[in-house]
C-alpha cells in the first residue's frame, strides 16, 4: 500500500502537522479494526514527525474489558477503566 493512500489528507501540501512540537499522547486500541496499531504507528512516525510522542497501545483485557473498538474509548461505560489515561497525561 502506498504511503499516500495510508495517510490521505495528511499528505496534502496545506497542513500544519510539521509545526506540532507539543507532547502528544498517541493511543491505539488493540481491537480497533479502523485505526489499527500499525496504522497509528505510521501516522505518528510519518505525520507527527516533530511532536514529542508518548505511545500507548491499549489491550482491552488488560483493563478488564471485553472490547473497546473504534468508538468506545470515551463512552460512559468505559469511564472508570479508560478515561484516567488521557487525564493523567494532561496532568504531567
Amino acid at each position: 500500500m502506498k504511503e499516500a493512500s495510508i495517510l490521505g489528507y495528511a499528505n496534502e501540501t496545506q497542513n500544519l502537522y510539521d509545526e506540532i512540537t507539543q507532547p502528544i499522547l498517541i493511543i491505539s486500541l488493540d481491537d480497533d479494526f479502523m485505526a489499527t496499531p500499525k496504522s497509528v504507528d505510521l501516522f505518528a512516525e510519518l505525520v507527527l514527525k516533530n511532536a514529542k510522542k508518548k505511545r500507548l497501545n491499549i489491550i482491552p483485557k488488560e483493563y478488564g474489558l471485553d472490547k473497546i473498538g473504534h468508538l468506545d474509548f470515551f463512552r460512559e461505560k468505559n469511564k472508570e477503566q479508560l478515561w484516567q489515561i488521557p487525564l493523567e497525561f494532561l496532568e504531567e
Side-chain angles (χ1 to χ4, degrees), residues 45-67:
E45 177 187 337
L46 300 174
V47 177
L48 301 171
K49 299 177 231 184
N50 299 317
K52 296 175 183 108
K53 299 176 270 292
K54 179 177 181 180
R55 181 71 172 89
L56 178 63
N57 181 57
I58 294 177
I59 299 171
K61 297 224 182 287
E62 291 179 0
Y63 290 85
L65 301 169
D66 290 328
K67 64 179 184 164

Side-chain angles (χ1 to χ4, degrees), residues 3-22:
E3 178 182 314
S5 64
I6 293 170
L7 300 175
Y9 290 112
N11 285 330
E12 295 283 322
T13 57
Q14 296 179 340
N15 70 57
L16 301 175
Y17 290 115
D18 287 346
E19 295 181 26
I20 299 172
T21 59
Q22 296 82 3

Side-chain angles (χ1 to χ4, degrees), residues 30-91:
D30 209 53
D31 65 339
D32 186 340
F33 69 93
M34 293 180 70
T36 64
K38 183 176 180 180
S39 67
V40 172
D41 285 341
L42 279 172
F43 180 80
E45 177 187 337
L46 300 174
V47 177
L48 301 171
K49 299 177 231 184
N50 299 317
K52 296 175 183 108
K53 299 176 270 292
K54 179 177 181 180
R55 181 71 172 89
L56 178 63
N57 181 57
I58 294 177
I59 299 171
K61 297 224 182 287
E62 291 179 0
Y63 290 85
L65 301 169
D66 290 328
K67 64 179 184 164
I68 301 169
H70 188 69
L71 299 173
D72 285 352
F73 188 96
F74 287 108
R75 294 209 191 272
E76 185 78 24
K77 67 181 181 177
N78 294 326
K79 178 180 179 179
E80 296 299 317
Q81 295 88 348
L82 301 175
W83 291 8
Q84 195 60 31
I85 297 167
L87 292 175
E88 288 174 359
F89 176 78
L90 292 171
E91 290 173 356

